[in-house]
Amino acid sequence: MRIFVTGATGNIGSNVVRELIAAGHQVLGLCRSKEKAVALAAAGAEVLRGTIEDIGILKSGASQSDGVIHLAFNHDFSRFVENCEDDRRVIATLASALAGSARPLVVTSGTPIANTVPGEPAREDNPIVGSDTHPRAASEEAAILASEIGVNVSVVRLPQVHDPVSQGLITPLIEIFRQKGVCAYIGDGLNRWPAAHFSDVARLYRLVVERAEPNARYHAIAEEGVPMRDIAEVIGRRLNLPVKSVGKEEAQEYFGWLSMFATRDMPASSAKTRQKLGWEPTGPKLLDDLAELRVSSS
C-alpha cells in the first residue's frame, strides 16, 4: 500500500513510518520542518512538505494514497481543548478526500474516552464520553461523522506511549517534578495509567491499516494500568528527588493543567484488539523505561 502518514516525524509517527516501510509499504509522510524532512527521506519515505492547517495539502496527501494514518496532534496541552477541535477539523478534511472509497482512514484517540464503566478498564466496545466531557472525544466524534459519509474509518486509542526519552503525559509530569523538586501523587497513588512501548504501538498501526476494517476500535495497550505512585517512585529514584502524596485539594496548584489527568484512574484493556489482530506487545515495560530515563543535568 501507499500510505499517507500525518505526524510522520513525531515520536510515534517516525516509528510507524519505519514499521510500514519494513513491511514493504510505501509511505508519503507529512512534514513541516526542513530538517526533519531530511530524516524522513533517509528513512525511505516520500516527503510531503506542509502542515495540518493546510487543507489543500491534507487533501492532496490523502487523494494520492491507498490509505491514511493520522497521527499529527498539537501537544501543547495548555490549549488542549482548542487542539482537539483542530483535530476534529483535520479528520473531516481527510475524510472528504476518502469518502465513497474503501481506502482506510486510521485516526487516533485516547483510551480515557472509553473509561465509561465504573470499576472496569476501558474496553474497545465501551460507550464513549462526548467532547463536552473529555475534549479528545472530538476525534472520535469526527470519525463517526466520517463513517456516515462513506469513509472506511477506524480508531486507535493510545495510552502513555514510551521509551527512555518520551512517555506521553509522563514527559510533562517529569518537568513538573523537576520544577517542584518533589515527585508527587494524589492520595494513595493507586490510580492507574495504561502504557505501551513505541515499537508495539507502531506495529499495531500497521496491522490496523492493513486490516482496513470499517468502524473498528483498537486499544494500543501493553500494560493495563501502572499506579501513579509507582511512576512517581521510579522517577524519584532516577532524578534523586523525594516522593510524597498530596491531597486532591492540592492537585490544581501542584499539577496545573495536568491535574485533569493526574487525579484519574484510567486502566484500559486490549484483549479484543489482541484477539482480532494477533497483536502481542513485546517491548519494555513503562517502569523499566523510566528507570533508564534520559535526562539532562539541568
Side-chain angles (χ1 to χ4, degrees), residues 151-205:
V151 178
N152 179 355
V153 62
S154 56
V155 174
V156 173
R157 296 184 182 132
L158 297 179
Q160 308 313 306
V161 184
H162 60 85
D163 64 11
V165 176
S166 178
Q167 308 84 27
L169 290 176
I170 298 172
T171 298
L173 179 66
I174 291 167
E175 291 308 307
I176 292 173
F177 288 168
R178 291 172 67 106
Q179 292 165 13
K180 300 286 187 177
V182 62
C183 301
Y185 55 85
I186 306 296
D188 60 12
L190 297 182
N191 59 304
R192 298 156 292 174
W193 284 8
H197 190 266
F198 279 108
S199 59
D200 293 320
V201 172
R203 189 168 72 257
L204 178 60
Y205 272 101

Side-chain angles (χ1 to χ4, degrees), residues 58-113:
L58 290 175
K59 287 185 175 181
S60 173
S63 296
Q64 59 184 295
S65 300
D66 300 314
V68 177
I69 296 177
H70 173 47
L71 289 164
F73 188 80
N74 185 340
H75 289 93
D76 175 4
F77 286 97
S78 65
R79 60 182 307 275
F80 185 52
V81 174
E82 294 91 335
N83 296 340
C84 292
E85 289 303 314
D86 288 343
D87 199 54
R88 186 196 300 272
R89 288 187 284 271
V90 171
I91 293 170
T93 298
L94 294 169
S96 69
L98 298 172
S101 74
R103 292 176 295 158
L105 168 61
V106 182
V107 305
T108 302
S109 179
T111 58
I113 306 306

Side-chain angles (χ1 to χ4, degrees), residues 2-168:
R2 176 178 167 84
I3 302 169
F4 178 43
V5 179
T6 71
T9 59
N11 291 325
I12 298 176
S14 57
N15 283 275
V16 169
V17 167
R18 288 193 292 270
E19 173 73 24
L20 291 171
I21 291 173
H25 299 290
Q26 297 177 347
V27 173
L28 175 64
L30 182 66
C31 180
R32 68 189 306 163
S33 162
K34 181 179 179 180
E35 293 74 21
K36 290 186 176 182
V38 173
L40 182 58
E46 181 182 347
V47 178
L48 181 63
R49 289 289 303 279
T51 72
I52 56 174
E53 290 80 24
D54 191 325
I55 292 175
I57 289 291
L58 290 175
K59 287 185 175 181
S60 173
S63 296
Q64 59 184 295
S65 300
D66 300 314
V68 177
I69 296 177
H70 173 47
L71 289 164
F73 188 80
N74 185 340
H75 289 93
D76 175 4
F77 286 97
S78 65
R79 60 182 307 275
F80 185 52
V81 174
E82 294 91 335
N83 296 340
C84 292
E85 289 303 314
D86 288 343
D87 199 54
R88 186 196 300 272
R89 288 187 284 271
V90 171
I91 293 170
T93 298
L94 294 169
S96 69
L98 298 172
S101 74
R103 292 176 295 158
L105 168 61
V106 182
V107 305
T108 302
S109 179
T111 58
I113 306 306
N115 277 121
T116 52
V117 181
E120 294 189 7
R123 304 187 191 281
E124 294 89 338
D125 56 359
N126 278 5
I128 63 171
V129 299
S131 56
D132 55 339
T133 299
H134 194 306
R136 195 68 165 104
S139 302
E140 298 213 22
E141 291 169 353
I144 292 169
L145 290 177
S147 176
E148 291 174 355
I149 64 169
V151 178
N152 179 355
V153 62
S154 56
V155 174
V156 173
R157 296 184 182 132
L158 297 179
Q160 308 313 306
V161 184
H162 60 85
D163 64 11
V165 176
S166 178
Q167 308 84 27

